[in-house]
Amino acid sequence: MKVPKDQGEPNRRVLIVMELLDSSKKIASNGVDLFLPLVREPTDVEMGNLRNLGDVEFLEYQFEEHEKAPTLEDLLGFMPHYEVIGDIALIEADDIDAFRIGEELLKFHPHVNTVLGATSPVVGEFRVREFMLIAGLDKTETIHKEYGCRYAVDLAKAYFTPRLSTERERILSWIKPDDVIVDMFAGVGPYSILIAKKANPKKVIAIDKNPAAVEFLRRNIDLNSVENVEVIEGDANVEAQRFAGIADHVIMNLPHNAYDFLDSAVKLTRPGGIIHYYGMTHEDDLFDGSIGLIGMAAKRTGRMIEVLEKRTIRSYAPHQYNICIEIRVI
Ligand code: SAM
């Protein structure tokens, strides 16, 4: 649609409202008139309405396309697997294209300063990985932002994954004001701090055995200006003994061996309180085996359980799933 230059803007807006403007093409000009690209030929009625707006003409015109920024896939020829934590991107170090991926990630994500390659899976009691530098600044420490919270973490010293962000929000939705929460495996604090910041709990008791994770947990409490988080460095089974019957919610985010801590979790839970139990289970027995273990732990202390929710969080390995079960302990 050709319009005099000084009538361009009102006509452009009308075309947007009428869903006629083709935003994939560039608006052109001959110095006097503007040429507005349309997605289709307007009907006679539409042309009549548009002509009423001013000095408008309809004609064939060869428009230029808007240049689209190339995607990472365009740059590399394939889509790499990676995740971004703060200003660090993580890839697998054994990828044959690791260094090319690293260079392109730095260019593609302007806020990424470091690309690390994981040289080990998540291992050991403290659930950490080993890394090598692939590109950018040589560092493993960063600050990750999530749901209005900030988490400082050294990825070589403490566990953290942004992949559980939606899951943390889900747990948050269970918490009521004035609840007492025990986060048995708190890490650098993504559950404890989110809850302390957003749910107005009476208290969050955050336990972790990894001294480095606890150091970052304390830093993150300051970074997020949260109160009501009591930090405990120690073994969850030992520390739980001090807080028997206190918890409205017990969070057990140690999926590979949370079952070793079930007696303590039951002990921590007040009558009617809820355990959020994480596990890694086979697709042939996603929930029943775990529910059986929780039931036996409850029975040992003369308690009963009621299953409230069963959920698959994510696929972990072929046929293996990260699951969460919400159980009320009566
Ligand atoms: N909840 C945190 C998160 O979402 O980032 C951390 C989860 S990570 C899978 C499990 C954490 O449990 C690690 O930080 C590890 O140091 C801690 N841990 C392992 N064994 C423990 C124990 N016996 N007592 C307390 N914490 C332990």
Side-chain angles (χ1 to χ4, degrees):
M1 185 170 98
K2 186 173 110 178
V3 294
K5 222 172 164 183
D6 60 351
Q7 292 174 28
E9 186 50 24
N11 275 287
R12 192 185 69 89
R13 287 197 198 156
V14 170
L15 289 177
I16 291 172
V17 173
M18 292 172 76
E19 297 182 353
L20 277 174
L21 190 74
D22 185 348
S23 56
S24 71
K25 309 253 179 357
K26 283 185 183 170
I27 293 174
S29 171
N30 61 7
V32 184
D33 299 304
L34 289 183
F35 298 88
L36 303 172
L38 304 185
V39 284
R40 59 173 169 80
E41 193 174 325
T43 63
D44 289 346
V45 176
E46 285 170 334
M47 281 199 202
N49 289 340
L50 287 163
R51 283 199 179 100
N52 286 339
L53 292 174
D55 194 3
V56 167
E57 251 182 78
F58 296 93
L59 45 94
E60 293 278 330
Y61 192 90
Q62 215 47 50
F63 290 95
E64 275 179 52
E65 299 276 336
H66 273 299
E67 291 120 37
K68 274 196 247 141
T71 62
L72 200 52
E73 196 169 355
D74 294 335
L75 294 170
L76 284 163
F78 61 90
M79 193 55 190
H81 293 290
Y82 70 100
E83 65 182 316
V84 178
I85 303 177
D87 69 342
I88 296 179
L90 295 187
I91 64 174
E92 294 299 327
D94 61 3
D95 194 315
I96 47 165
D97 291 307
F99 291 97
R100 202 156 73 82
I101 295 171
E103 289 306 326
E104 294 300 351
L105 278 172
L106 284 184
K107 284 187 229 154
F108 188 74
H109 289 291
H111 64 281
V112 166
N113 295 316
T114 296
V115 181
L116 297 177
T119 53
S120 82
V122 176
V123 287
E125 192 178 27
F126 298 159
R127 312 304 301 151
V128 285
R129 305 181 82 170
E130 284 165 16
F131 299 100
M132 64 179 276
L133 179 69
I134 300 291
L137 297 178
D138 190 2
K139 62 169 195 155
T140 49
E141 192 176 321
T142 190
I143 295 182
H144 184 78
K145 293 188 191 135
E146 185 178 292
Y147 292 119
C149 299
R150 289 190 297 160
Y151 305 113
V153 60
D154 187 328
L155 297 169
K157 293 182 182 162
Y159 177 93
F160 181 81
T161 179
R163 289 190 196 168
L164 289 177
S165 61
T166 316
E167 174 56 15
R168 296 192 257 273
E169 275 273 287
R170 189 184 71 81
I171 297 295
L172 177 68
S173 71
W174 282 86
I175 314 293
K176 299 199 178 58
D178 283 329
D179 278 352
V180 173
I181 294 93
V182 179
D183 187 359
M184 289 178 83
F185 313 104
V188 302
Y191 285 85
S192 292
I193 288 170
L194 180 71
I195 290 168
K197 196 158 178 153
K198 305 264 167 107
N200 208 11
K202 184 182 277 173
K203 189 178 196 175
V204 181
I205 297 168
I207 306 170
D208 205 284
K209 199 173 177 184
N210 177 358
V214 170
E215 190 190 316
F216 280 97
L217 171 60
R218 290 189 206 281
R219 263 172 69 179
N220 291 334
I221 287 169
D222 290 344
L223 204 58
N224 292 279
S225 312
V226 289
E227 290 168 359
N228 297 342
V229 182
E230 181 177 341
V231 177
I232 297 173
E233 183 185 323
D235 183 292
N237 267 340
V238 175
E239 302 302 330
Q241 308 309 315
R242 293 198 270 144
F243 299 104
I246 200 180
D248 296 287
H249 295 270
V250 175
I251 302 170
M252 300 187 75
N253 183 219
L254 183 64
H256 283 87
N257 58 324
Y259 47 78
D260 286 335
F261 297 81
L262 275 169
D263 287 22
S264 301
V266 169
K267 199 166 182 180
L268 283 166
T269 313
R270 69 158 182 78
I274 296 166
I275 295 178
H276 305 267
Y277 175 89
Y278 289 92
M280 291 295 179
T281 55
H282 193 270
E283 62 187 3
D284 292 342
D285 177 13
L286 281 178
F287 303 109
D288 290 348
S290 301
I291 292 169
L293 291 174
I294 303 166
M296 282 193 286
K299 212 168 173 186
R300 282 195 285 275
T301 28
R303 311 276 293 269
M304 291 196 312
I305 61 165
E306 178 193 353
V307 179
L308 302 178
E309 197 169 323
K310 301 181 279 190
R311 180 174 285 267
T312 306
I313 310 295
R314 57 176 172 157
S315 146
Y316 176 74
H319 313 292
Q320 292 280 332
Y321 290 87
N322 186 181
I323 55 116
C324 186
I325 305 168
E326 264 75 36
I327 299 246
R328 193 187 297 287
V329 181
I330 303 152

